[in-house]
Amino acid sequence: PMVATGGSVKKVLEILTASGAQNIKVISIIVSPEGVRSIHKKFPHIPIYAAALDDSLNEKGYILPGLGDAGDRIFGTLNED
């Protein structure tokens, strides 16, 4: 649902392009500028569509203002330390 650092999306794009996939598009609900830059640095030809471009990432790599970590919210593993 979100592109924060772009790491997960880049891994998926590596797998897809290595398998010969073509006409790839990234579609996300929320993206960070850092994540978009990171993806486009390695895959400049792949378009990214998003409903919202948030401000930045915090020191944990969470999108600000964003949603925090979606996985933590879904699986109840959020640690507020």
Side-chain angles (χ1 to χ4, degrees):
M2 300 182 293
V3 174
T5 65
S8 298
V9 172
K10 287 192 302 187
K11 184 63 178 173
V12 169
L13 294 175
E14 289 170 5
I15 293 167
L16 289 173
T17 57
S19 69
Q22 299 179 19
N23 198 22
I24 301 168
K25 296 170 181 67
V26 174
I27 301 171
S28 183
I29 296 171
I30 298 172
V31 297
S32 74
E34 295 92 335
V36 171
R37 281 192 298 271
S38 178
I39 294 166
H40 275 163
K41 183 175 181 181
K42 186 162 187 176
F43 299 97
H45 61 287
I46 296 178
I48 300 172
Y49 299 94
L53 174 65
D54 272 358
D55 295 337
S56 62
L57 297 178
N58 69 10
E59 65 282 350
K60 290 184 177 182
Y62 293 174
I63 299 173
L64 296 174
L67 302 172
D69 187 300
D72 284 341
R73 293 181 183 278
I74 292 168
F75 298 107
T77 56
L78 184 63
N79 184 354
E80 295 291 338
D81 293 341

